[in-house]
Amino acid sequence: MKCLVTGAAGFIGSHLCRRLLEEGEDVVGIDCFTDYYAREIKEGNLRPLLSHNRFQFIDQDINGIELSPLMASTDTVFHLAAQAGVRASWGVHFSIYTRNNIDASQRLLEASREIPLHKFIYASSSSVYGTCPELPMRESSPLHPYSPYGVSKLAAEHLCGLYFQNYGVPTVSLRFFTVYGPGQRPDMAFHKFLKAQLEGASISVYGDGTQTRDFTYIDDIISGILAACKRGKLGEVYNLGGGNRKKLNTIFPILEKISGKRPIIDRETTQKGDVPHTFASIEKAQLELGYSPNVPVEEGLNEEWRWIKALYA
Ligand code: NAD
């Protein structure tokens, strides 16, 4: 395959590029190093890829580059570039979300119209469910995004559906549920918790800690993306959860075991846009993609801990 990976310097994008290269594919990665978190972390994600002779990196904004020549030599698009993060999506920052999540997706889809693509994989999010009345969340469950971020991810998911129906762009949207592991973004809970453990600092917990999340280890997500690329039905949407739904409070004993230090918890008020629960039904992905996540949280957190120690050494 000749793959285009957007957001290639990010957490999930850089892991995906590595796996695609290991599987013998040609990969062009694009990323514009948005300032949402430190450029050094993204450069660290990219470093092992840059020496690979089947990898080419383009340091450009999707909104500013002429896409047609790039698309002409692509047969598979993995569109992961986005402005991530629920809490930062309010107020004046929303325009960053509309630009990087909606406009950029629309530009890529437009550029895909005339190209005989094999697949256009879009990284959607559990945030599209928002305060979903059903648990587990199924692909057919009602969608009530609860944050501006969720609205922007759902808008791009709808665009994927529209470009499939109207122009036959072979889109498959994947709703990721809280991805973690080495390389995780610094604004995400596990990264912040493990960094605090390393520094002996306190951990801010929003709400009473009874909220639940379906945690998905990075290697499982990458396997799900590759399975969707092979077997995903065009125009469809699939949940990729980790089968590790946990109350936040149950993570603290695991942190203590891994780091050898009792976490110091600071309770803070619930943040706007945070939903009480996420819980994926992965039945459809299991049946149609053969998706089968198998990394338990204890094991995955341990891998992330090793990475955090090296990152902040
Ligand atoms: P990330 O922030 O680490 O990676 C996204 C990358 O996209 C960044 O490196 C950024 O510089 C780049 N980017 C943003 N706008 C761009 C543009 N206009 N042009 C070029 N590059 C641009 O985020 P991540 O955690 O790796 O998430 C990857 C994708 O998965 C995103 O689409 C996100 O919405 C989705 N997702 C992630 C999670 C998760 O738990 N990490 C959960 C659900 C969905």
Side-chain angles (χ1 to χ4, degrees):
M1 291 193 296
K2 296 199 180 310
C3 308
L4 175 66
V5 178
T6 74
F11 165 38
I12 304 173
S14 56
H15 279 273
L16 176 63
C17 289
R18 180 177 47 78
R19 270 282 284 279
L20 287 168
L21 291 167
E22 281 168 9
E23 305 220 343
E25 314 297 356
D26 292 332
V27 181
V28 174
I30 180 167
D31 202 296
C32 65
F33 298 97
T34 59
D35 62 2
Y36 185 53
Y37 64 89
R39 184 180 175 115
E40 296 73 52
I41 296 184
K42 296 183 188 181
E43 284 174 345
N45 294 339
L46 267 185
R47 203 163 295 126
L49 303 171
L50 291 174
S51 56
H52 206 292
N53 60 7
R54 274 184 283 105
F55 183 73
Q56 187 200 341
F57 180 66
I58 301 174
D59 179 354
Q60 289 278 359
D61 188 325
I62 296 166
N63 288 305
I65 185 175
E66 214 207 308
L67 290 168
S68 305
L70 191 58
M71 297 300 293
S73 55
T74 298
D75 56 35
T76 309
V77 176
F78 296 91
H79 176 36
L80 279 75
Q83 174 62 32
V86 165
R87 294 181 195 131
S89 63
W90 300 98
V92 291
H93 303 294
F94 186 59
S95 60
I96 305 172
Y97 287 76
T98 51
R99 187 179 146 76
N100 289 334
N101 298 0
I102 305 176
D103 296 352
S105 302
Q106 187 268 353
R107 282 201 90 222
L108 268 175
L109 286 161
E110 231 1 85
S112 301
R113 271 173 48 181
E114 310 301 337
I115 312 284
L117 283 180
H118 161 63
K119 284 273 164 63
F120 183 113
I121 304 284
Y122 167 61
S124 186
S125 166
S126 60
S127 299
V128 302
Y129 292 108
T131 51
C132 182
E134 299 176 5
L135 289 176
M137 296 155 162
R138 298 179 191 285
E139 289 81 353
S140 55
S141 295
L143 303 173
H144 298 299
Y146 192 59
S147 64
Y149 166 72
V151 168
S152 71
K153 294 302 289 184
L154 181 57
E157 201 186 285
H158 282 317
L159 284 169
C160 287
L162 295 180
Y163 275 81
F164 168 66
Q165 289 159 27
N166 287 276
Y167 294 105
V169 177
T171 61
V172 176
S173 292
L174 304 175
R175 294 177 181 157
F176 300 165
F177 283 68
T178 317
V179 188
Y180 74 101
Q184 195 192 36
R185 298 194 324 261
D187 62 308
M188 296 188 73
F190 283 2
H191 186 127
K192 292 203 277 193
F193 293 176
L194 291 167
K195 182 167 184 267
Q197 286 303 93
L198 187 68
E199 295 169 347
S202 60
I203 289 175
S204 297
V205 175
Y206 302 117
D208 64 4
T210 57
Q211 62 268 45
T212 58
R213 290 291 176 274
D214 193 329
F215 294 104
T216 315
Y217 189 62
I218 182 69
D219 291 359
D220 286 331
I221 277 289
I222 302 299
S223 300
I225 297 173
L226 296 183
C229 183
K230 283 201 187 88
R231 293 183 280 276
K233 294 190 184 154
L234 303 188
E236 287 292 326
V237 175
Y238 296 91
N239 285 341
L240 294 184
N244 283 304
R245 183 189 181 210
K246 293 223 179 296
K247 273 194 183 138
L248 204 57
N249 283 336
T250 65
I251 298 301
F252 304 123
I254 306 175
L255 288 179
E256 181 169 350
K257 197 168 153 204
I258 287 174
S259 66
K261 285 184 219 163
R262 173 160 294 193
I264 310 160
I265 311 287
D266 267 349
R267 300 272 173 201
E268 295 190 23
T269 51
T270 306
Q271 300 287 292
K272 299 287 183 209
D274 277 359
V275 293
H277 304 290
T278 67
F279 180 20
S281 160
I282 55 169
E283 217 174 304
K284 183 174 172 188
Q286 280 171 323
L287 278 173
E288 295 183 18
L289 309 179
Y291 174 64
S292 131
N294 60 15
V295 180
V297 163
E298 293 75 5
E299 193 182 317
L301 254 183
N302 211 14
E303 289 302 311
E304 184 164 344
W305 172 238
R306 294 210 310 223
W307 173 74
I308 288 279
K309 283 192 291 185
L311 181 70
Y312 293 107

